[in-house]
Amino acid sequence: MPLPVTSARRVAVYCGSAFGNNPAFLTEAKALGAALGPAGLGLVYGGARVGLMGSVADAALAGGAEVIGVLPEVLVAMEIAHDGLTSLELVTTMHERKARMAELADAFLVLPGGYGTLEEMLEAVTWAQLGLHAKPCILINTAGYWDGLLAFLDTAVAAGFLKAKNRDLLLVAADAAEAIEMAQGAPA
């Protein structure tokens, strides 16, 4: 059964809890957050105050966007919870976090990150492949960060493990502005 889409226009942003070593990553995270409010979009994200996650949230708040964090209780004890959000929802597990973020969002935007970012993004795309939602999944390929993954996906198509139509479920934006434009084209 497809996950419901809310009437509010929100994007889920998956990204690192670190900053990475290229200043372009932080610059793009801030640009994305700052552009959400003026675009009429709210932010749903992992609820942390650290790394790119915290930077996207801070920029979104400064730009007037609604910002909803969804944080597993285990991470609250690590003192990474952002205490200045529009709302912070605590959940029991990482699985609940991903399901709640998907429920609240109309599109998924992905900045650079590590295992968690990759896993969240791949699950969202897999759910689209299975027909559980029809929300756009958009990689923001800052400084070519995702080039290796994109090449792998093309290899998976060539090897017969991924259908070309399903490969096309993962959209690619050059920057935050293009990603927001793509997300705004998503049905409400």
Side-chain angles (χ1 to χ4, degrees):
M1 172 182 240
L3 295 171
V5 177
T6 62
S7 60
R9 298 290 296 166
R10 298 183 190 111
V11 295
V13 174
Y14 302 133
C15 59
S17 60
F19 291 109
N21 58 15
N22 184 334
F25 302 150
L26 178 57
T27 299
E28 199 65 47
K30 288 179 177 180
L32 176 60
L36 293 176
L41 296 170
L43 170 66
V44 177
Y45 85 113
R49 62 175 168 73
V50 296
L52 297 182
M53 292 173 66
S55 297
V56 169
D58 289 340
L61 289 164
E66 170 193 49
V67 178
I68 301 171
V70 183
L71 189 69
E73 292 169 350
V74 68
L75 297 180
V76 173
M78 296 178 175
E79 298 181 355
I80 65 166
H82 196 304
D83 60 4
L85 305 177
T86 307
S87 71
L88 178 64
E89 297 185 16
L90 298 180
V91 294
T92 306
T93 68
M94 293 294 281
H95 295 293
E96 288 177 50
R97 174 200 235 177
K98 291 182 292 182
R100 183 63 177 147
M101 288 176 68
E103 180 182 350
L104 292 169
D106 299 298
F108 304 94
L109 307 183
V110 187
L111 289 164
Y115 284 140
T117 302
L118 183 62
E119 188 270 336
E120 289 167 327
M121 180 269 300
L122 288 175
E123 183 167 85
V125 175
T126 300
W127 288 357
Q129 176 180 291
L130 295 172
L132 299 177
H133 71 75
K135 303 171 185 181
C137 301
I138 306 163
L139 279 181
I140 302 172
N141 197 19
T142 308
Y145 182 80
W146 296 109
D147 287 350
L149 174 67
L150 296 170
F152 164 74
L153 295 175
D154 292 338
T155 298
V157 170
F161 288 102
L162 181 62
K163 293 178 182 175
K165 71 176 185 174
N166 292 329
R167 163 64 178 87
D168 293 342
L169 291 171
L170 185 60
L171 307 172
V172 181
D175 56 29
E178 184 180 8
I180 287 174
E181 186 175 305
M182 295 164 82
Q184 286 178 313

